[in-house]
Amino acid sequence: EELLIVLLDGRHARFLTSFLGNVTEHPEIQNPFPTAHTQAPGNDKTKSQPSSHRKSDERERQYLKSVAEMAGFLADARSVKGILIGGNNVSTKELLDFLPEVVRKRVISVFVLPAQAALQDIAGIVSDLQIRAERESESARVTSLLDRFRANAKAVAGLQPTLEALTEGRIHELLYAEGMSWKGARCKTCRKIVINQTACPTCKENLFPIEDGLDLIIATALDSGANVERVRGPAAVDLLPSGGIGAFLRF
């Protein structure tokens, strides 16, 4: 999914979108009355200002309000569900306070990076954050699957229960661990997928040709209208004791 990146400091705010690894920059907002925040990322200190400059607080609020409004506009216009906010610690924290709640709920990460960072550096940060978010999402899906399986609540885990549900057309979403591999074939008589056997246990028919069993499972699931997701890292490790495969069921 496309992501919105807001990168700011006390002088200007940049707006970028990332989709399929490509980062696109949009018109930025300049602060007409720049704050004295130091530009080094992570530095929260501010320089002292004479009393005649006390109006800068209100000007700063107007600048941050403009940034928040533009972030909300871009997120809505592009149907963006995930927002990343970067810059120095002061500016990012202040911007969060100005974002409407509905926009703030879409913020998935806040990070430290100079506002003038090159596009390749921004792309690298975004890629790392996306991978982390994907792994966390996969772990949550596997945890939900196993919890529902143990509660007998429209979920199965393990190769044979999954194959049975697949044959019956009951799978809503198939999950499998990265690295899983089986040899299998589809019985020409009953159309069941049979794994690691040379004859169909139901029809006693000899099975050929022997193919990649996982490919057969995935193709059959997709043909039935099910979603399919490969899980990696910790999520794959969690799923392995249950056979490395499972599914949420329609019924």
Side-chain angles (χ1 to χ4, degrees):
E1 295 181 353
E2 187 173 45
L3 295 175
L4 172 65
I5 304 107
V6 182
L7 196 58
L8 78 159
D9 57 19
R11 296 182 179 276
H12 68 142
R14 297 168 65 189
F15 302 89
L16 310 98
T17 49
S18 174
F19 183 67
L20 297 178
N22 297 315
V23 176
T24 302
E25 188 148 16
H26 303 275
E28 65 179 35
I29 289 179
Q30 293 283 341
N31 185 356
F33 303 99
T35 65
H37 292 171
T38 56
Q39 301 304 303
N43 195 330
D44 289 345
K45 296 180 180 179
T46 58
K47 298 177 182 179
S48 60
Q49 299 181 7
S51 58
S52 61
H53 292 172
R54 289 177 181 172
K55 290 184 179 179
S56 65
D57 287 343
E58 178 59 30
R59 293 165 178 169
E60 176 76 357
R61 284 192 288 271
Q62 289 299 319
Y63 162 63
L64 290 170
K65 182 180 179 181
S66 297
V67 175
E69 289 175 349
M70 180 58 72
F73 171 77
L74 287 172
D76 289 340
R78 305 180 72 90
S79 299
V80 170
K81 297 180 181 178
I83 301 174
L84 307 175
I85 297 178
N88 60 48
N89 283 338
V90 172
S91 299
T92 55
K93 292 175 182 177
E94 290 176 341
L95 178 59
L96 285 173
D97 291 336
F98 278 84
L99 289 175
E101 184 177 359
V102 66
V103 178
R104 189 163 57 245
K105 287 181 178 179
R106 300 187 222 176
V107 176
I108 59 177
S109 184
V110 178
F111 59 96
V112 173
L113 190 72
Q116 64 272 21
L119 288 182
Q120 63 182 16
D121 295 330
I122 297 171
I125 288 283
V126 170
S127 177
D128 290 343
L129 292 173
Q130 281 182 303
I131 291 173
R132 187 186 309 168
E134 287 172 3
R135 297 297 178 271
E136 291 174 353
S137 175
E138 290 170 2
S139 291
R141 293 299 288 160
V142 169
T143 297
S144 176
L145 173 69
L146 297 178
D147 286 346
R148 287 175 57 173
F149 165 64
R150 296 185 187 105
N152 195 27
K154 293 185 180 179
V156 292
L159 181 58
Q160 288 306 318
T162 302
L163 289 176
E164 291 174 9
L166 185 62
T167 299
E168 296 165 358
R170 296 191 293 132
I171 290 182
H172 169 68
E173 182 179 5
L174 176 75
L175 303 184
Y176 69 94
E178 182 179 45
M180 298 305 298
S181 178
W182 300 282
K183 292 296 182 181
R186 187 186 301 276
C187 177
K188 292 184 178 181
T189 301
C190 68
R191 306 302 297 165
K192 289 182 179 179
I193 297 174
V194 181
I195 299 296
N196 296 333
Q197 298 183 58
T198 58
C200 175
T202 302
C203 305
K204 311 304 179 185
E205 294 278 352
N206 291 329
L207 301 173
F208 61 92
I210 301 300
E211 305 176 51
D212 185 316
L214 182 56
D215 282 350
L216 282 173
I217 293 170
I218 292 173
T220 303
L222 292 173
D223 287 344
S224 71
N227 298 321
V228 177
E229 182 175 0
R230 177 184 64 178
V231 298
R232 293 150 289 185
V237 172
D238 292 342
L239 190 56
L240 284 176
S242 298
I245 192 168
F248 295 97
L249 304 179
R250 294 189 177 102
F251 57 91

